[in-house]
């Protein structure tokens, strides 16, 4: 990997780490990574799934205003 470039998985982890809450909704992740950075949705889903299986991130559902939202939270004790 060229120096100065992060892997896409690391970029995803750092995005969550930079947020003050250390979490983001699926819609936020799609907006940033798919709409702004040009990733495909299946690629984002694959990385989220892989990071969740490795317990780097945790998945949860929250209900706000009668609507369910998928939330991804950084598991700060996990190692890459």
């Amino acid at each position: 990997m060229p120096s100065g470039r992060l892997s896409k998985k690391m970029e995803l982890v750092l995005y969550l780490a930079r947020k003050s809450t250390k979490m983001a909704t699926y819609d936020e992740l799609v907006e940033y990574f798919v709409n702004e950075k040009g990733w495909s949705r299946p690629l984002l889903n694959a990385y989220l799934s892989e990071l969740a299986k490795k317990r780097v991130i945790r998945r949860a559902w929250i209900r706000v205003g009668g609507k369910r939202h998928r939330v991804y939270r950084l598991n700060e004790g996990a190692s890459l």
Side-chain angles (χ1 to χ4, degrees), residues 19-33:
K19 293 186 61 85
S20 62
T21 59
K22 307 289 189 244
M23 66 175 60
T25 64
Y26 181 74
D27 292 338
E28 285 179 81
L29 295 172
V30 167
E31 176 65 30
Y32 182 73
F33 288 104

Side-chain angles (χ1 to χ4, degrees), residues 3-54:
S3 63
R5 286 189 48 114
L6 295 172
S7 72
K8 290 189 177 199
K9 281 185 271 189
M10 184 59 72
E11 197 173 338
L12 182 55
V13 169
L14 288 176
Y15 176 82
L16 290 172
R18 283 192 306 260
K19 293 186 61 85
S20 62
T21 59
K22 307 289 189 244
M23 66 175 60
T25 64
Y26 181 74
D27 292 338
E28 285 179 81
L29 295 172
V30 167
E31 176 65 30
Y32 182 73
F33 288 104
V34 176
N35 297 342
E36 292 180 24
K37 300 208 46 98
W39 295 14
S40 68
R41 195 178 287 248
L43 179 67
L44 174 63
N45 292 339
Y47 285 144
L48 289 171
S49 180
E50 183 178 337
L51 290 170
K53 285 178 187 173
K54 290 181 177 180

